[in-house]
Amino acid sequence: MNIAITILTFIRSVFFTAFFYIGSTFIILLGVPVAYFSTRGLRRIARTWSQYHYLCARIFLGIKVEIKGEFRNETLLYVFKHESMFETIDTLRILKDPIVIAKKELLSIPVWGWMATRHGLLGVDREAGAKSMREIMRQANRAIEEGRPIVIFPEGTRIERGQRPLLQSGFAGIYRIFNIVAIPVALNSGRVAPKNSFLKRSGTITYLIGDELQPGIPKEEIRALVHEAINALNE
């Protein structure tokens, strides 16, 4: 029975990968001329791409999403747990035109990286220190001016299910300098789409939106509160 399930999981993962990447190629090629002339048009393309990703996950993998709480399309700092590539793409669907802070390596992807930069994805070089932090602040200021939500993954990279690493300091800097409300988001995407695995299983990914953390909380306390909240769905 386990062998049959593994074979079925493999087949479903193959179909998902093929359809998602082939479809993504067409969407990205369509988006290139749009990106040159219209930022608003590019944002629509990005949202369409994210919706297509979820459609493929839903049809081929049997993955569903459950949101406990409410995502608000305002200038808020959403601090996400990070277990899978899934939520990196899905943020463009569940939030309206977010500024996403992610690892710099993503911007090296041909064509896609240029479009992602135009959309507002900020690639952070974790070894660049103060220079990287200044760029984060510049982009955060842009998001605030435009009334866009900010998304950050404070663990810095995808984490294996159940791990609780210390958080990097970038999110706390944005929270303090811009006097912005932080909202932690726990999730359990690693259950169905684990890190560094081609195989993806059917199941429900839950986003658990934590309590709003108002401006003014001391640095170490905000880090502790966020760390506890984003790990609320760990098993």
Side-chain angles (χ1 to χ4, degrees):
M1 184 66 176
N2 288 336
I3 294 177
I5 292 174
T6 301
I7 293 174
L8 178 60
T9 299
F10 176 78
I11 292 172
R12 296 176 77 167
S13 298
V14 167
F15 272 95
F16 166 78
T17 301
F19 275 83
F20 173 61
Y21 282 101
I22 291 172
S24 293
T25 300
F26 283 105
I27 293 171
I28 291 169
L29 291 176
L30 174 64
V32 170
V34 174
Y36 270 110
F37 299 105
S38 172
T39 302
R40 180 177 296 180
L42 173 61
R43 292 174 184 175
R44 289 178 180 173
I45 291 288
R47 186 172 180 82
T48 298
W49 175 62
S50 181
Q51 290 169 335
Y52 175 71
H53 168 259
Y54 180 59
L55 181 66
C56 288
R58 185 75 185 88
I59 292 174
F60 297 111
L61 300 174
I63 291 176
K64 300 178 183 179
V65 163
E66 175 187 29
I67 298 176
K68 293 185 177 181
E70 179 186 6
F71 284 112
R72 306 203 326 261
N73 293 307
E74 305 171 19
T75 306
L76 301 167
L77 177 62
Y78 284 99
V79 190
F80 276 71
K81 180 73 178 175
H82 194 16
E83 294 185 350
S84 171
M85 186 181 76
F86 185 93
E87 59 268 11
T88 310
I89 300 174
D90 207 41
T91 55
L92 300 174
R93 180 183 69 88
I94 60 180
L95 288 164
K96 181 174 171 41
D97 305 331
I99 292 283
V100 180
I101 301 172
K103 59 184 180 181
K104 186 178 181 180
E105 290 85 345
L106 292 174
L107 300 183
S108 65
I109 301 173
V111 184
W112 185 91
W114 172 76
M115 292 177 65
T117 301
R118 292 271 293 170
H119 181 276
L121 187 144
L122 172 60
V124 177
D125 184 352
R126 294 190 292 272
E127 298 179 357
K131 180 181 178 181
S132 180
M133 194 62 188
R134 286 195 298 270
E135 182 61 20
I136 290 176
M137 293 305 164
R138 186 182 70 82
Q139 287 282 7
N141 188 61
R142 170 186 165 190
I144 291 168
E145 290 176 350
E146 296 179 356
R148 299 167 68 179
I150 303 169
V151 171
I152 191 167
F153 302 96
E155 292 159 319
T157 189
R158 288 173 293 170
I159 302 301
E160 292 185 3
R161 186 91 188 112
Q163 292 186 347
R164 299 166 59 104
L166 295 176
L167 308 184
Q168 298 183 3
S169 60
F171 86 91
I174 295 173
Y175 166 80
R176 288 186 297 109
I177 292 173
F178 292 100
N179 206 37
I180 189 172
V181 173
I183 301 180
V185 181
L187 54 82
N188 56 2
S189 57
R191 292 176 57 249
V192 298
K195 175 184 177 181
N196 298 329
S197 175
F198 173 76
L199 298 179
K200 297 172 179 61
R201 298 181 288 273
S202 62
T204 299
I205 294 175
T206 299
Y207 293 99
L208 176 60
I209 303 170
D211 295 334
E212 293 186 8
L213 301 173
Q214 298 299 321
I217 301 173
K219 179 180 178 180
E220 292 306 317
E221 185 178 350
I222 190 69
R223 292 181 70 174
L225 289 171
V226 167
H227 187 266
E228 185 65 26
I230 68 172
N231 286 290
L233 293 179
N234 272 9
E235 296 175 355

